[in-house]
Amino acid sequence: DVKVTQSSRYLVKRTGEKVFLECVQDMDHENMFWYRQDPGLGLRLIYFSYDVKMKEKGDIPEGYSVSREKKERFSLILESASTNQTSMYLCASTLNLGSLYEQYFGPGTRLTVT
Amino acid sequence: AQKITQTQPGMFVQEKEAVTLDCTYDTSDQSYGLFWYKQPSSGEMIFLIYQGSYDEQNATEGRYSLNFQKARKSANLVISASQLGDSAMYFCAMREGSTGNQFYFGTGTSLTVIP
């Protein structure tokens, strides 16, 4: 079974703190993704990575950065957390097989910035 | 333009009845995949069903079926014999063959099954 794990289910941080969200997958997937989910807005792509050290901006990259030093691990970094980054963060991974393969999701991290 | 549109923010269905959740998509690719995910209140996203653009038959997985109408660019999810455990958010998504790396999600439909 594919497993995607995220470092925390719930996280509370203060404004201005640097925040690291970690995601690990165990199925040798090339592609990894970070989304944020807000009510009524669905899933919005922050960044994705299709290979080690490769990354591409998604729809809402502002205020975020990412790191992929190893194939199985994809980190999302909030350089200076702000209250408008309070949200649910979902990590996902998939094989690079054109349009054929689904994404597998982690359990999500509910981040609150106070 | 929105790649995936789900026009039903919320739906109610009686237990044991069937329900259809709407999804329309927009792409100029010939090769693409359509996916439905379920998200219970616990938050995890569960993959339900996949339809490829070249598949001639509608996809089915147990009580889930996908009503694929290519000319209309619609990919509606049909849940038969609804159960209380089907109450959740449902998301439609698309992956294009040309880009391959990105998935496009709709805004979701909240389904409530009434006993």
Side-chain angles (χ1 to χ4, degrees):
Chain A
D1 259 3
V2 177
K3 205 146 194 187
V4 181
T5 57
Q6 295 182 228
S7 48
S8 307
R9 290 300 302 270
Y10 299 93
L11 209 51
V12 180
K13 294 291 182 181
R14 293 192 182 277
T15 303
E17 277 193 85
K18 192 168 186 175
V19 181
F20 293 86
L21 302 183
E22 302 281 332
C23 175
V24 178
Q25 51 94 4
D26 67 358
M27 279 303 289
D28 206 34
H29 286 172
E30 296 92 354
N31 296 354
M32 296 188 74
F33 307 78
W34 275 106
Y35 295 93
R36 95 174 249 177
Q37 182 180 13
D38 301 288
L41 297 178
L43 276 71
R44 292 182 292 167
L45 181 65
I46 305 172
Y47 269 96
F48 70 95
S49 168
Y50 51 90
D51 202 349
V52 175
K53 297 192 189 293
M54 307 301 287
K55 61 187 179 188
E56 291 217 12
K57 293 180 181 179
D59 301 317
I60 50 163
E62 298 79 19
Y64 304 95
S65 62
V66 290
S67 170
R68 192 160 180 208
E69 297 296 320
K70 293 185 176 181
K71 192 174 185 180
E72 67 270 18
R73 188 180 297 268
F74 192 34
S75 302
L76 180 70
I77 304 150
L78 287 66
E79 295 290 341
S80 177
S82 64
T83 53
N84 62 14
Q85 292 179 309
T86 291
S87 187
M88 170 74 135
Y89 290 87
L90 290 165
C91 174
S93 72
T94 189
L95 285 173
N96 190 10
L97 276 180
S99 61
L100 298 178
Y101 203 71
E102 70 269 26
Q103 284 180 317
Y104 289 84
F105 283 84
T109 296
R110 292 192 186 273
L111 172 67
T112 303
V113 183
T114 60
Chain B
Q2 293 283 348
K3 289 277 191 180
I4 295 286
T5 302
Q6 293 180 256
T7 56
Q8 306 153 314
M11 290 278 286
F12 292 87
V13 64
Q14 205 75 40
E15 198 177 2
K16 298 181 185 155
E17 298 287 311
V19 63
T20 298
L21 306 184
D22 294 343
C23 173
T24 58
Y25 60 92
D26 182 28
T27 183
S28 54
D29 276 26
Q30 296 301 307
S31 172
Y32 51 91
L34 297 157
F35 306 83
W36 277 93
Y37 288 86
K38 172 185 178 181
Q39 188 181 41
S41 56
S42 54
E44 77 272 25
M45 294 280 280
I46 302 165
F47 166 68
L48 294 178
I49 195 166
Y50 163 81
Q51 179 84 41
S53 57
Y54 294 119
D55 295 340
E56 294 187 353
Q57 305 268 15
N58 286 343
T60 59
E61 288 287 346
R63 293 186 300 110
Y64 303 109
S65 60
L66 200 151
N67 184 0
F68 181 45
Q69 297 191 39
K70 199 170 182 176
R72 290 181 155 191
K73 293 190 173 177
S74 77
N76 298 340
L77 178 71
V78 180
I79 306 174
S80 62
S82 297
Q83 301 171 356
L84 296 178
D86 294 335
S87 294
M89 282 290 289
Y90 289 82
F91 290 94
C92 179
M94 177 176 66
R95 186 178 189 181
E96 292 174 317
S98 61
T99 57
N101 289 326
Q102 280 217 38
F103 284 71
Y104 302 95
F105 284 84
T107 52
T109 296
S110 175
L111 177 67
T112 303
V113 180
I114 304 164

